[in-house]
Amino acid sequence: MEVVKNLDIKRYMGKWYEIASFPSFFQPKKGENTSAFYTLNEDGTVHVLNVTFVNGKKDSIEGTAYKADPKSDEAKLKVKFYVPPFLPIIPVTGDYWVLYIDEDYQYVLVGGPTKKYLWILCRQKHMDEEIYNILEQKAKDLGYDVSKLHKTPQSDSRPEGEDVPQDKGIWWIKSLFGK
């Protein structure tokens, strides 16, 4: 599967809103106002902070992203989270492949080799439907079953505590029980 080449990691840093994703066991089923914060570390890795709100309560998990092959120009990253988040013991690693990004770094399509996971992210809380349809078609062309895409609710008002990391959540435990 072809991915973005020569990703400008510095331009990629910052806040991204989740517009849509495939439901997965490690994300809350009723998450809203979901976003990801990426910060470049001194060693070239990326600090990842994923935040979501479930029934008005903030949950978050932190991890580290790094190039799967440091010598490659492909945007194939690995993301490592430690679970449980409140007592990081067990590393859980997943693929984070940048499949498409616009030239202004405003919206992105992220997936992986198994096609079990897919995210549409944007710098804004809402995405123009035409752009969404283009990204959905790109995913379909890559072999993703886009019927599994679930749009993530994003409210126009800022959730309380949106930009302030709080206690590390336990969304991954809750998600195992379907909550």
Side-chain angles (χ1 to χ4, degrees):
M1 180 181 334
E2 208 165 303
V3 301
V4 170
K5 290 187 176 13
N6 300 309
L7 179 73
D8 184 340
I9 199 72
K10 288 181 181 175
R11 287 183 69 197
Y12 198 80
M13 297 298 96
K15 184 173 186 177
W16 290 90
Y17 294 95
E18 181 182 281
I19 302 302
S21 67
F22 282 1
S24 61
F25 75 91
F26 53 83
Q27 282 187 271
K29 296 197 182 338
K30 295 182 181 180
E32 298 181 350
N33 299 304
T34 303
S35 55
F37 299 81
Y38 302 123
T39 309
L40 192 59
N41 295 321
E42 287 183 22
D43 65 0
T45 63
V46 176
H47 176 259
V48 178
L49 173 63
N50 290 338
V51 176
T52 194
F53 290 80
V54 180
N55 298 322
K57 184 173 183 240
K58 181 178 179 177
D59 273 323
S60 64
I61 190 165
E62 293 182 70
T64 304
Y66 53 92
K67 287 194 78 166
D69 177 359
K71 295 176 185 166
S72 174
D73 64 350
E74 294 183 312
K76 292 182 178 180
L77 306 175
K78 293 282 190 184
V79 181
K80 184 188 300 183
F81 295 99
Y82 286 92
V83 293
F86 48 83
L87 182 64
I89 298 172
I90 305 164
V92 176
T93 304
D95 293 297
Y96 186 104
W97 289 12
V98 180
L99 304 172
Y100 176 82
I101 191 164
D102 71 300
E103 64 184 33
D104 295 324
Y105 282 62
Q106 294 301 301
Y107 47 88
V108 64
L109 184 65
V110 176
T114 64
K115 299 183 179 135
K116 290 181 182 177
Y117 308 110
L118 185 67
W119 292 271
I120 294 176
L121 306 176
C122 184
R123 295 288 189 182
Q124 306 298 319
K125 288 185 176 188
H126 304 288
M127 177 180 280
D128 180 78
E129 197 65 27
E130 183 179 337
I131 293 170
Y132 179 86
N133 292 337
I134 290 168
L135 294 175
E136 186 179 58
Q137 185 60 52
K138 286 183 181 299
K140 189 175 184 180
D141 293 346
L142 290 169
Y144 285 87
D145 178 2
V146 296
S147 70
K148 294 193 287 185
L149 269 173
H150 169 74
K151 288 193 175 181
T152 306
Q154 295 282 353
S155 64
D156 289 325
S157 60
R158 252 172 89 167
E160 191 174 319
E162 178 183 40
D163 295 324
V164 181
Q166 295 173 343
D167 293 339
K168 294 177 183 159
I170 55 170
W171 72 15
W172 67 276
I173 291 175
K174 293 176 187 173
S175 65
L176 294 175
F177 298 102
K179 301 195 179 202

